């Protein structure tokens, strides 16, 4: 079930990322991200909340990253949410387990940009920053849900009951993520 879902999500990611004029040069092979690889990376997350599994060049100078994230505990219940914004990478979430209230958009303040040499910027999310968001759109998401977050849209969680674990498909039209990246635990 999860493998089929991953394949569907990767296909949807490609369709969302590419305009019709980019289909002229199609890749000649597919990339398979098996459940075993996802679970291996998940088991090696340690205290981090976000790990990239792979970054694939899908042709026409577009990359797709596949990551796994887990956020634990209860976030702020108030109106203001600490959010992140990715300037050049679109994210598509597929929730594996748990639930939380996702806040997107809204009024932003407190712009702080992440340094270009930050490992998260280099390997996971591309140029990004943090923001405080108020009056954003709220939606409770849970296992089986899919969310598309376009580049430039601030997003963050609040009201995570226990945990939320999700795959993130990162559409990278500027190839800011490292082509061919594979999580170190997969090389063991």
């Amino acid at each position: 079930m999860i493998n089929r879902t991953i394949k569907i999500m990767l296909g949807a990611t490609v369709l969302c990322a590419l305009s019709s004029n980019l289909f002229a040069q199609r890749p000649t092979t597919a990339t398979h991200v098996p459940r075993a690889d996802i679970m291996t990376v998940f088991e090696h997350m340690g205290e981090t909340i976000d790990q990239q599994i792979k970054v694939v060049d899908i042709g026409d100078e577009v990359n797709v990253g596949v990551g796994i994230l887990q956020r634990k505990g209860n976030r702020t219940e108030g109106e203001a949410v600490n959010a992140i914004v990715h300037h050049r990478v679109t994210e598509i979430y597929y929730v594996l387990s748990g639930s939380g209230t996702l806040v997107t958009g809204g009024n932003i303040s407190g712009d702080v940009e992440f340094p270009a040499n930050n490992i998260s910027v280099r390997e996971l999310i591309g140029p990004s920053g943090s923001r405080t968001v108020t009056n954003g759109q709220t939606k409770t998401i849970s296992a089986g849900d899919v969310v598309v977050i376009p580049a430039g849209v601030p997003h963050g969680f609040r009201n995570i009951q226990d945990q939320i674990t999700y795959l993130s498909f990162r559409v990278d039209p500027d190839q800011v993520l490292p082509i061919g990246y594979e999580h170190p635990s997969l090389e063991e």
Side-chain angles (χ1 to χ4, degrees):
M1 171 82 174
I2 289 178
N3 282 340
R4 176 185 151 104
T5 303
I6 291 170
K7 290 176 188 175
I8 291 169
M9 291 304 302
L10 283 174
T13 300
V14 171
L15 291 175
C16 291
L18 302 175
S19 63
S20 60
N21 63 334
L22 292 179
F23 282 106
Q25 296 179 0
R26 295 183 180 179
T28 58
T29 62
T31 298
H32 178 228
V33 182
R35 184 179 196 284
D37 287 0
I38 295 167
M39 296 312 296
T40 296
V41 173
F42 180 73
E43 291 164 2
H44 284 85
M45 286 181 74
E47 295 299 314
T48 63
I49 61 169
D50 187 348
Q51 290 292 296
Q52 197 80 284
I53 300 167
K54 288 187 178 198
V55 177
V56 179
D57 179 349
I58 62 169
D60 295 310
E61 300 179 3
V62 177
N63 288 347
V64 172
V66 180
I68 187 163
L69 296 86
Q70 183 177 61
R71 300 187 186 280
K72 295 180 181 178
N74 200 8
R75 299 276 179 159
T76 177
E77 286 290 338
E79 179 60 33
V81 172
N82 185 25
I84 190 168
V85 60
H86 311 301
H87 302 301
R88 295 162 56 188
V89 173
T90 292
E91 288 189 298
I92 302 169
Y93 294 169
Y94 175 72
V95 182
L96 298 171
S97 67
S99 67
T101 303
L102 180 66
V103 180
T104 60
N107 303 323
I108 60 171
S109 62
D111 298 13
V112 176
E113 294 303 312
F114 300 152
N117 64 352
N118 178 295
I119 193 163
S120 292
V121 170
R122 289 191 335 260
E123 293 181 3
L124 301 173
I125 56 178
S128 300
S130 66
R131 309 286 189 264
T132 300
V133 172
T134 56
N135 300 317
Q137 177 187 24
T138 61
K139 183 69 178 171
T140 299
I141 62 173
S142 58
D145 288 349
V146 174
V147 180
V148 178
I149 304 171
V153 174
H155 54 285
F157 282 96
R158 69 173 180 217
N159 195 24
I160 298 172
Q161 294 301 314
D162 178 39
Q163 59 82 31
I164 185 166
T165 303
Y166 52 100
L167 295 176
S168 178
F169 301 92
R170 296 170 169 139
V171 181
D172 174 20
D174 299 321
Q175 291 191 320
V176 297
L177 302 178
I179 297 170
Y181 174 87
E182 190 167 278
H183 192 273
S185 68
L186 299 177
E187 299 171 4
E188 296 174 356

